[in-house]
Amino acid sequence: MTNPSPTDSADQSQLEKWPAPVRLALSVFGFFAGLSLIGALLVVFMMMMAYPNLPDIDSLATYQPKMPLRVFSADNMLIGEFGEERRSLVRYKDIPKVMKQAVLAIEDDRFYEHHGVDYWGILRAAIHNALGGRRQGASTITQQVARNFFLSSEQTIKRKLYEVLLAWKIEKTLTKDQILELYMNQIYLGQRAYGFASAAQIYFGKKLGEISVAEAAMLAGLPKAPSANNPVVNPKRAKARQLYILQRMHDLGYITTAQYEQARDEQLKIKMDSNDFGVHAEYVAEMARQMVYDQYKEDAYTRGLNVFTTITKADQDAAYLALRRGVLDYEKRQPYRGPEGYMEIPTDKTEAEAAIETELAEHPDSDGIIAAVVLSTGPKTVRAVLASGEEITIPEAGLGMAATALTDKVPANKRIRRGAIIRVTQEGSSWFLIQLPEVESAFVAVNSENGAIRALVGGFDFNRNKFNHVTQAWRQPGSSFKPFIYSAALEKGFWPGTVVNDAPLSFDASQTGSQAWEPKNYDGKYEGPMTIRKGLSKSKNMISIRILYKIGPAYAQEYITRFGFDADKNPPYLTLALGAGSVTPLQLAAAYSVFANGGYKVNPYLISKITSNDGKPLFEVMPDKAGDDTLRVIDARNAYVIDSLLKDVVRYGTATRALSLKRSDIAGKTGTTNDSIDAWFAGYHPKLVGVAWIGFDKPRNLGNKETGGGLALPIWINYMQKALPSLPVTDREIPFGVINHNGDMMYSEYVEGEGVHSLGMHQGDDKSNGGTSDSQKEAPREPSKELLKEGAKSEIF
């Protein structure tokens, strides 16, 4: 047995002299110190074992995120983005300094000082949280990069350990600037936006380089809680977060006091509407998406393809506003259909605000048509509240046809009362009650020389109705189809001075293909014999029917296919003279381009080119060009004469409202189908064709007094007011072979004898100047003797 040494005995004796509480405390301390040492050794051992098994982070150095399909206008405006992740990759050097500062201020102000893990930040956050302050986190930007790229969102010690290890590894592999670039491109910021460049576009409609200090601070508040701090769905919380970040930026010296105060007071314009882009071109973007998907399938949404369309911002804006205005002007003439619904408004103010906000979320705005809840009504006024909390008053002048809905004379389900959900719009400082339209519309503008689509609006509101009426709506064109029958008649020996009897007609079922038919003129008036020039300008149905009867419906059906119409959708019956077949607005625009460009069929196209994410060309269209003889489908003389007739429609006929444009080089034709189901106007400048249509998706009467001239033509005019100033006034050259006969135009070979003089100069056999193309050789050229006698002024029957 070993005896204790004197020293050990002394130490033990000394310890025994200490008070029992001290001895206990030292024992506890020693126990926990031992545990801590063991724990530390265990953590080190785990790190040593785990570090070699960390994922390879070399991919971060060549970061290639899933990039969405992006659609642009011809003038490089972003109009659409498709993919699970809406993202715009931006390099570090292109990220504005203020955006970097805003992010560092709130997420990691010691980012350039630590090595992946901020120990002082952890200690500071722990103390701050223990003292009951606003809860703070201590994850660095590097740790967030590690988490976003490689780890799950589970909250475990193991995951946190891997996060720290990955942060160290990332810091050893990449520079600080590279890490910050990764973070600012990868982080989720709400609204399906990944990265700050995409968020700037979605929330503010701006490029990242264009944002202000205030906007940068608002965006920097999103990473921590993209839903809670979203300025679209929670503007109050987003504003509070923004102000806190601005204060941090000021405290850190990133911005001056003047900058801070200016940013603090700046009223941000958050994009609250459903359109995330600077141009309302949703139908265009969707068309482009479908075409690209057909080619690339699912890869289209991840390869970062850039699709450039042919539309321009100016043209698209003009078309969108023209269509909306035309539809709303029509809507103002309709009876009020009643509120969209009703809700019970709680008596408690806080509860009422929450309930109203929830209810209005089910009634999204349509651009400037805003949902509101009625708070109270007077004999001639309505007080309502918007989703933003703003209370408004609609005066008597703003009620329009809805004024009767304030009385007890209307059914309960149409009455405007407290809790009613209505629609309002603001004009200047005044508010007006309005209703979402049931009618639909379409407008398309095409470059007649090469087929490039310059503007396309497929409906009133893409988010309410994604059916593209420009390309998908097969409707009866009505009288807008008549010029093609007249064009066919010119090839059969008719001319503008041919006289036809405007008198009633009747046909049996064998002649119409369906049932007995007694057509009428739209106005019910018959004026007897008149030239076909006058008959077209006045849109006389009897004239068109007699012409078609004479040339033969089968011939006319074959002839119209030259313009791109489908024979099977335009049966060879006499009703074809009144546009009883089916066409789409885009098809009609392409057909009118033939008249506009002198006789060439150019195919409309929307996509001009596609490039890869790095700008490498993948596809580029080679468009048709008017003037290419292989594209000629009608004689230059035919196109010139029809153009002359269509100009008279504007000067003297059903489209005289277009004279407000003060242009001598425009032409076109109105169209109103039977029972006013569809309203059309197709018109053009020699370089630009526009077609407007209005109707209901489930066809029904637009109103007995509604016509193409009153509904569709104003849309066309409002668009052309913006588009025409950039186009010079163009006078057509008269083709060789067009002569003056008895004061009107005729093909020279149709006239025998003397006293006839040419309106054009002989230019050889050039097909564009009176030559004969292959398509014209098929058309009969011999005029009937009946047409030639008495100066070719004879009635058909």
Side-chain angles (χ1 to χ4, degrees), residues 510-588:
S510 65
Q511 293 172 297
T512 64
S514 57
Q515 57 188 2
W517 182 41
E518 292 187 10
K520 295 179 173 57
N521 285 330
Y522 174 78
D523 57 7
K525 298 178 182 178
Y526 304 92
E527 301 182 36
M530 65 174 61
T531 65
I532 66 173
R533 177 180 290 277
K534 186 175 182 180
L536 184 62
S537 68
K538 288 196 168 189
S539 200
K540 290 291 187 177
N541 291 341
M542 299 304 109
I543 305 297
S544 299
I545 294 169
R546 279 187 161 90
I547 290 173
L548 181 59
Y549 182 86
K550 197 68 176 179
I551 66 175
Y555 169 72
Q557 181 196 43
E558 183 279 329
Y559 183 84
I560 64 169
T561 61
R562 303 181 184 191
F563 298 88
F565 296 117
D566 298 334
D568 61 339
K569 292 186 181 295
N570 295 276
Y573 300 112
L574 289 175
T575 51
L576 187 64
L578 306 185
S582 296
V583 304
T584 66
L586 183 60
Q587 200 175 53
L588 195 61

Side-chain angles (χ1 to χ4, degrees), residues 492-495 498 550 741-742 746 749-752 781-796:
K492 282 287 194 178
F494 290 82
W495 64 298
T498 299
K550 197 68 176 179
H741 186 69
N742 289 340
M746 180 182 278
E749 71 260 33
Y750 286 5
V751 178
E752 299 173 350
R781 287 297 184 192
E782 290 299 322
S784 66
K785 292 182 179 180
E786 177 187 9
L787 291 175
L788 293 177
K789 66 182 181 180
E790 297 183 5
K793 291 186 178 180
S794 59
E795 296 179 23
I796 294 176

Side-chain angles (χ1 to χ4, degrees), residues 122 549 592 726 728:
I122 294 172
Y549 182 86
Y592 267 82
S726 64

Side-chain angles (χ1 to χ4, degrees), residues 336 370-386 390-403 406 416 420-427 429-435:
Y336 185 61
I370 305 167
V373 174
V374 174
L375 297 177
S376 63
T377 62
K380 297 179 179 180
T381 60
V382 172
R383 189 169 65 90
V385 61
L386 310 180
E390 178 185 0
E391 293 188 11
I392 63 171
T393 298
I394 307 169
E396 181 180 9
L399 294 176
M401 298 187 72
L406 295 174
I416 298 176
I421 299 153
I422 60 174
R423 292 281 173 171
V424 297
T425 188
Q426 190 174 25
E427 297 179 13
S429 59
S430 300
W431 288 93
F432 292 81
L433 194 147
I434 199 170
Q435 54 189 347

Side-chain angles (χ1 to χ4, degrees), residues 518-789:
E518 292 187 10
K520 295 179 173 57
N521 285 330
Y522 174 78
D523 57 7
K525 298 178 182 178
Y526 304 92
E527 301 182 36
M530 65 174 61
T531 65
I532 66 173
R533 177 180 290 277
K534 186 175 182 180
L536 184 62
S537 68
K538 288 196 168 189
S539 200
K540 290 291 187 177
N541 291 341
M542 299 304 109
I543 305 297
S544 299
I545 294 169
R546 279 187 161 90
I547 290 173
L548 181 59
Y549 182 86
K550 197 68 176 179
I551 66 175
Y555 169 72
Q557 181 196 43
E558 183 279 329
Y559 183 84
I560 64 169
T561 61
R562 303 181 184 191
F563 298 88
F565 296 117
D566 298 334
D568 61 339
K569 292 186 181 295
N570 295 276
Y573 300 112
L574 289 175
T575 51
L576 187 64
L578 306 185
S582 296
V583 304
T584 66
L586 183 60
Q587 200 175 53
L588 195 61
Y592 267 82
S593 293
V594 177
F595 297 141
N597 65 32
Y600 302 94
K601 178 65 175 71
V602 293
N603 293 308
Y605 71 100
L606 181 67
I607 295 177
S608 60
K609 66 178 180 179
I610 300 174
T611 68
S612 62
N613 186 49
D614 58 4
K616 181 181 178 181
L618 301 176
F619 164 83
E620 192 161 357
V621 73
M622 297 296 291
D624 297 331
K625 291 184 179 180
D628 181 348
D629 281 346
T630 63
L631 301 175
R632 181 174 285 285
V633 291
I634 64 172
D635 192 294
R637 298 170 300 175
N638 189 305
Y640 183 84
V641 173
I642 295 297
D643 175 70
S644 170
L645 297 178
L646 292 175
K647 282 179 177 175
D648 275 7
V649 175
V650 172
R651 293 185 185 119
Y652 316 113
T654 57
T656 54
R657 293 177 71 166
L659 293 174
S660 62
L661 294 171
K662 295 181 170 53
R663 297 284 294 230
S664 61
D665 55 353
I666 56 175
K669 183 69 185 75
T670 55
T672 309
T673 61
N674 193 36
D675 292 329
S676 295
I677 301 294
D678 298 275
W680 296 82
F681 184 77
Y684 59 85
H685 170 279
K687 296 181 183 296
L688 182 65
V689 176
V691 171
W693 166 85
I694 286 187
F696 291 97
D697 280 340
K698 292 183 178 180
R700 60 186 173 93
N701 188 281
L702 287 162
N704 293 331
K705 295 183 179 181
E706 301 291 358
T707 65
L711 286 174
L713 178 56
I715 296 175
W716 186 89
I717 291 173
N718 286 330
Y719 167 77
M720 286 294 179
Q721 282 178 339
K722 303 290 185 178
L724 285 179
S726 64
L727 299 174
V729 175
T730 304
D731 294 322
R732 284 177 180 264
E733 291 186 8
I734 304 171
F736 172 74
V738 175
I739 54 90
N740 185 331
H741 186 69
N742 289 340
D744 214 326
M745 301 173 184
M746 180 182 278
Y747 294 175
S748 58
E749 71 260 33
Y750 286 5
V751 178
E752 299 173 350
E754 300 179 355
V756 175
H757 61 277
S758 174
L759 295 179
M761 299 298 292
H762 179 71
Q763 299 183 33
D765 294 327
D766 185 348
K767 295 176 183 177
S768 64
N769 289 282
T772 304
S773 69
D774 292 339
S775 63
Q776 292 142 18
K777 291 175 183 176
E778 300 171 3
R781 287 297 184 192
E782 290 299 322
S784 66
K785 292 182 179 180
E786 177 187 9
L787 291 175
L788 293 177
K789 66 182 181 180

